[in-house]
Amino acid sequence: MKIAIFGAGSVGGTLGSSWANKGHEIFFGVPNPNSDKTQALLNKIGSNAQAGTLAEASSFSDVIVLATPWTATESAIKAAGDLRGKTIIDCTNPLKPDFSELSIGFTTSGGEQVAQWAVGANVVKTLNQTGSENMGAPVYGTYPSVMFVCGDDETAKATALTLVKELGFDAVDGGGLKIARLLEPLGMLWIGLVYRQGLGRNIAFALMRRN
Amino acid sequence: MKIAIFGAGSVGGTLGSSWANKGHEIFFGVPNPNSDKTQALLNKIGSNAQAGTLAEASSFSDVIVLATPWTATESAIKAAGDLRGKTIIDCTNPLKPDFSELSIGFTTSGGEQVAQWAVGANVVKTLNQTGSENMGAPVYGTYPSVMFVCGDDETAKATALTLVKELGFDAVDGGGLKIARLLEPLGMLWIGLVYRQGLGRNIAFALMRRN
């Protein structure tokens, strides 16, 4: 496949290297194709990669991969010219410039709403990310399902982490209650995979770690 | 621990059974404590469980677990009385009544924004849910990281699924482009675990399956 990658940073560079190794032709679209960094990347990948402007990359390709910082994404798309009929693989996350949270589509959560209703209580969000079968039997073979826990009160969160661990989950502290904005979409993702995508209820998320 | 569980459905029942087995005292708060369903649950669990009104359950407990349908959550909290200083574990998801999507905190996504900018292109969202190291080496031991893929054009999505599989990921079709509203929070969750929670970049999500 002829693949344009917009951006040649850590994500774009890694993807380009891997796909070039599989025999695809890679064209990095970057603001300055002759930069030392881009040239070093091309040398590392070898014969299946080149670099040029965003428009050149676009016209070369069957597929465009967006590996730009979010704040550069709109201008990169505009600079690429006519994109009708193109396949675009969007690898970006719409982060705020300080990477603290998503900048769009992200306004509140059920957990925060509960905290407003339950005046003075210490609300912890968890056990919303999987189905009841998995709550009763969270270990798949020898691998525990992950269950993220978030809340603003450390004592309440410690209690919840203990209770979640007792169920057999890999209980992971996700941060403050605002992280419910991430954990509720994760619950919704599970529900959608189970029902809309037809994977059935015997699926569960895990968090893998390595050194 | 004395644990009140608001709701005695599949989630509340499973949690109550598991925690009762660990020696905790369970008090289900439900609209009708004498219903056949609740009494059957109590008989199944045995001596560590009882049921009563929401206010009785609340006053009994150190910890309150919300296992209510979202639409019943506000009224359950109001019926529970004074909750100041209580620890509340919120297991709900703020689903729309038809379970199709989250009802709050969920307005748009970067993927949908990109589709608006890239007029006529077929946008697929993926490769936003982990770091570049994992994109270069997505397999932990023998277990591949999961990478969800969503988009509205089936041909473009099939292309993206192929490319993601070639990287070594467990590539999973998550649905239409609107699912970017779930996949971008997943990317943000990874970033927050890595940086804010200090877990480091060698962590990755997996999707486990069993029969």
Side-chain angles (χ1 to χ4, degrees), chain B residues 113-187:
Chain B
Q113 178 63 74
V114 162
Q116 287 193 349
W117 289 333
V119 177
N122 299 314
V123 176
V124 180
K125 185 90 202 191
T126 189
L127 291 169
N128 68 305
Q129 303 145 47
T130 198
S132 59
E133 299 88 341
N134 289 331
M135 294 184 197
V139 180
Y140 280 50
T142 56
Y143 294 89
S145 311
V146 69
M147 182 56 64
F148 297 105
V149 178
C150 73
D152 292 332
D153 183 88
E154 292 303 321
T155 306
K157 186 158 62 177
T159 298
L161 282 162
T162 299
L163 289 170
V164 169
K165 270 182 212 152
E166 285 186 0
L167 296 172
F169 283 104
D170 175 17
V172 176
D173 182 352
L177 187 61
K178 200 174 181 183
I179 301 303
R181 299 178 186 194
L182 309 179
L183 302 187
E184 292 166 10
L186 189 57

Side-chain angles (χ1 to χ4, degrees), chain A residues 125-136:
Chain A
K125 185 92 204 188
T126 189
L127 291 168
N128 67 305
Q129 302 143 47
T130 199
S132 60
E133 299 89 341
N134 289 331
M135 294 184 196

Side-chain angles (χ1 to χ4, degrees), chain B:
Chain B
M1 235 179 270
K2 292 184 171 184
I3 303 173
I5 301 182
F6 288 5
S10 57
V11 169
T14 301
L15 295 176
S17 298
S18 294
W19 285 324
N21 282 338
K22 295 282 177 183
H24 298 295
E25 292 178 66
I26 307 299
F27 199 125
F28 292 101
V30 290
N32 181 3
N34 296 317
S35 73
D36 291 349
K37 194 182 144 204
T38 298
Q39 291 300 315
L41 178 63
L42 294 180
N43 288 337
K44 186 184 143 225
I45 297 178
S47 57
N48 279 348
Q50 57 187 307
T53 66
L54 293 157
E56 287 168 344
S58 175
S59 65
F60 166 87
S61 69
D62 307 310
V63 174
I64 297 168
V65 175
L66 300 181
T68 42
W70 176 248
T71 48
T73 302
E74 181 176 10
S75 61
I77 290 170
K78 301 298 184 200
D82 187 354
L83 296 171
R84 281 175 288 184
K86 292 276 190 189
T87 289
I88 297 181
I89 297 179
D90 171 18
C91 310
T92 65
N93 274 314
L95 301 180
K96 288 189 176 172
D98 67 357
F99 287 21
S100 63
E101 58 185 23
L102 295 172
S103 59
I104 63 175
F106 186 82
T107 57
T108 187
S109 64
E112 290 162 278
Q113 178 63 74
V114 162
Q116 287 193 349
W117 289 333
V119 177
N122 299 314
V123 176
V124 180
K125 185 90 202 191
T126 189
L127 291 169
N128 68 305
Q129 303 145 47
T130 198
S132 59
E133 299 88 341
N134 289 331
M135 294 184 197
V139 180
Y140 280 50
T142 56
Y143 294 89
S145 311
V146 69
M147 182 56 64
F148 297 105
V149 178
C150 73
D152 292 332
D153 183 88
E154 292 303 321
T155 306
K157 186 158 62 177
T159 298
L161 282 162
T162 299
L163 289 170
V164 169
K165 270 182 212 152
E166 285 186 0
L167 296 172
F169 283 104
D170 175 17
V172 176
D173 182 352
L177 187 61
K178 200 174 181 183
I179 301 303
R181 299 178 186 194
L182 309 179
L183 302 187
E184 292 166 10
L186 189 57
M188 191 69 228
L189 180 64
W190 187 89
I191 291 168
L193 293 170
V194 167
Y195 294 108
R196 197 189 50 249
Q197 299 305 116
L199 300 190
R201 296 179 60 87
N202 276 306
I203 60 169
F205 301 118
L207 185 68
M208 304 191 296
R209 301 158 176 88
R210 67 181 165 200
N211 295 323

Side-chain angles (χ1 to χ4, degrees), chain A residues 81-115:
Chain A
D82 187 353
L83 297 171
R84 281 176 289 186
K86 293 276 189 188
T87 288
I88 296 181
I89 298 180
D90 172 16
C91 310
T92 65
N93 273 312
L95 301 180
K96 288 189 176 172
D98 68 357
F99 285 21
S100 63
E101 58 185 25
L102 295 172
S103 59
I104 63 174
F106 186 83
T107 58
T108 187
S109 64
E112 290 162 277
Q113 178 64 72
V114 163

